[in-house]
């Protein structure tokens, strides 16, 4: 991964993306990607989730929100694992624990935009993890006029288009595919299409209570409905399990206490704490640990 990306890139879906690219390369040299569909057609669950959560939280006293957050975080990840194993919906255990942990981290947000920033960030206080670390500012100007003009959902979509899409999604696919000499094209990024989608009211994107309503209507003409109307799934891997199992030795070498102290990039005590909590199953810190591990792996690669 350090050789492919050339930078500390830490979206764990880079692993299946690379493997899929490798598989596709056996038969084709150019592929089409559906990336940008969620950002342009209001497809991410968090667009609705953030709005709904803010409406429920805005009138709650700060003390109540802090108490709820503390209660949720006090439940070990292994307990959520057990609860998920009995769930009717078949929610994967690691995803449930991750979602609960994410919700607990955004309960203290003071506005819709800060709530969204907390939702897309792996750590609210970077200085706790990284020496002299700071959180990058949001891409869209933070003022009431812009927010009022766009509306909350469009504001989040625009943030993703200017930040998350180029810095994560497109980077991930470009490096993974080019790592095996596979050309990738992204039709949704045609500039005229992008401009047209922003003229469409949000109500049309979410028509009938379903995300990406416009794309669904078009797709229904060509693809059987039972292949379309399925729960939204990310391109994830069981990273939490891998870090406790087959990747544990690799991770422990990169997270060695003496090594972290000598390198001087991370707050050693914090990193060692979350690693211990992850290994004993009391918390699922897989996303945060992957960020650190990808930096450490890249740094090690640079020294060779």
């Amino acid at each position: 991964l350090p050789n492919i990306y050339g930078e500390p890139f830490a979206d764990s879906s880079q692993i299946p993306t690379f493997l899929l690219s490798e598989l596709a390369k056996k038969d084709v040299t150019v592929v089409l990607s559906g990336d940008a569909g969620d950002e342009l057609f209001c497809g991410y669950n968090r667009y609705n989730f953030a709005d709904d959560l803010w409406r429920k939280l805005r009138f709650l006293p700060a003390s109540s929100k802090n108490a709820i957050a503390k209660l949720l975080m006090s439940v070990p990840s292994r307990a959520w694992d057990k609860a998920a194993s009995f769930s009717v919906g078949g929610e994967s255990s690691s995803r449930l624990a991750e979602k609960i942990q994410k919700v607990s981290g955004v309960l203290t947000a003071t506005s819709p935009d800060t709530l969204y920033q907390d939702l897309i960030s792996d750590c609210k206080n970077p200085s706790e993890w990284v020496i002299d670390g700071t959180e990058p500012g949001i891409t869209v100007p933070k003022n009431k006029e812009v927010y009022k003009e766009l509306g909350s959902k469009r504001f989040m979509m625009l943030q993703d288009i200017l930040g998350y899409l180029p810095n994560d999604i497109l980077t991930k696919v470009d490096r993974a595919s080019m790592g095996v000499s596979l050309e990738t094209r992204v039709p949704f990024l045609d500039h005229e299409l992008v401009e047209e989608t922003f003229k469409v009211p949000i109500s049309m994107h979410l028509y009938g209570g379903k995300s990406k309503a416009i794309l669904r209507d078009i797709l229904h003409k060509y693809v059987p409905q039972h292949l379309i109307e399925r729960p939204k799934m990310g391109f994830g891997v069981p990273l939490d399990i891998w870090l406790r199992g087959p990747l544990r030795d690799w991770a422990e070498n990169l997270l060695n206490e003496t090594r972290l102290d000598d390198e001087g990039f991370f707050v050693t005590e914090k990193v060692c704490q979350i690693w211990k909590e992850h290994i004993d199953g009391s918390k699922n810190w897989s996303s945060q640990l992957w960020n650190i591990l990808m930096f450490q792996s890249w740094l090690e690669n640079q020294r060779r």
Side-chain angles (χ1 to χ4, degrees):
L1 293 178
N3 284 326
I4 294 170
Y5 286 88
E7 62 180 328
F9 184 82
D11 180 339
S12 61
S13 63
Q14 63 199 121
I15 299 173
T17 301
F18 174 74
L19 295 174
L20 182 60
S21 298
E22 221 175 20
L23 184 65
K25 178 60 180 177
K26 293 178 180 179
D27 298 304
V28 296
T29 55
V30 182
V31 295
L32 298 179
S33 165
D35 287 332
D38 285 315
E39 291 82 358
L40 294 177
F41 294 92
C42 203
Y44 288 127
N45 294 328
R46 59 177 176 261
Y47 296 148
N48 275 328
F49 175 76
D51 260 5
D52 292 341
L53 185 59
W54 175 248
R55 279 195 293 269
K56 294 171 183 176
L57 290 178
R58 60 186 301 184
F59 298 114
L60 272 179
S63 57
S64 299
K65 290 188 284 189
N66 287 330
I68 296 171
K70 188 175 181 180
L71 177 63
L72 290 174
M73 287 298 288
S74 68
V75 180
S77 291
R78 54 179 174 269
W80 295 120
D81 291 351
K82 191 171 183 179
S85 66
F86 293 105
S87 67
V88 177
E91 174 76 66
S92 73
S93 59
S94 60
R95 289 294 293 160
L96 178 59
E98 184 181 331
K99 288 177 181 178
I100 295 294
Q101 192 166 297
K102 178 66 76 173
V103 169
S104 65
V106 303
L107 286 175
T108 55
T110 57
S111 67
D113 54 313
T114 57
L115 185 148
Y116 189 67
Q117 187 73 5
D118 289 343
L119 271 176
I120 62 174
S121 177
D122 279 333
C123 56
K124 292 179 66 173
N125 302 304
S127 59
E128 291 183 4
W129 309 73
V130 181
I131 295 173
D132 297 327
T134 58
E135 181 73 28
I138 60 174
T139 311
V140 183
K142 186 179 179 181
N143 62 65
K144 292 181 179 179
E145 289 73 24
V146 172
Y147 189 84
K148 185 176 181 181
E149 181 182 350
L150 292 173
S152 60
K153 288 185 175 64
R154 189 77 78 186
F155 184 84
M156 291 185 278
M157 291 165 67
L158 185 56
Q159 281 204 74
D160 279 345
I161 289 169
L162 297 177
Y164 178 60
L165 180 63
N167 296 333
D168 187 323
I169 301 299
L170 297 180
T171 298
K172 174 185 67 179
V173 175
D174 177 70
R175 304 297 191 276
S177 58
M178 290 308 295
V180 294
S181 300
L182 178 70
E183 297 281 345
T184 305
R185 301 289 180 264
V186 190
F188 282 133
L189 289 183
D190 178 276
H191 71 93
E192 293 180 343
L193 176 61
V194 174
E195 291 167 7
E196 290 301 318
T197 62
F198 264 74
K199 298 175 184 177
V200 177
I202 289 293
S203 58
M204 289 184 66
H205 286 305
L206 298 173
Y207 185 76
K210 292 186 177 181
S211 62
K212 293 195 285 192
I214 297 171
L215 291 184
R216 290 175 190 270
D217 286 347
I218 296 171
L219 205 56
H220 283 155
K221 298 177 182 179
Y222 307 99
V223 181
Q225 188 165 343
H226 72 275
L227 295 178
I228 304 169
E229 303 300 338
R230 298 187 297 173
K232 187 173 181 61
M233 296 177 65
F235 206 32
V237 292
L239 191 59
D240 60 326
I241 297 171
W242 288 356
L243 290 176
R244 295 186 185 107
L247 292 181
R248 180 169 177 171
D249 289 345
W250 167 77
E252 285 189 331
N253 176 54
L254 293 172
L255 301 177
N256 177 274
E257 185 174 350
T258 302
R259 179 175 185 163
L260 292 173
D261 278 338
D262 291 343
E263 291 168 344
F265 293 105
F266 296 101
V267 179
T268 304
E269 185 179 354
K270 179 70 173 181
V271 175
C272 291
Q273 174 195 339
I274 66 169
W275 175 243
K276 180 179 180 298
E277 291 175 349
H278 186 82
I279 290 301
D280 66 25
S282 61
K283 292 287 185 295
N284 178 6
W285 293 112
S286 55
S287 294
Q288 293 82 356
L289 287 166
W290 191 249
N291 291 338
I292 298 168
L293 288 165
M294 283 295 94
F295 178 86
Q296 291 293 90
S297 182
W298 169 82
L299 185 63
E300 183 176 67
N301 192 62
Q302 295 301 302
R303 291 171 172 169
R304 289 173 181 168

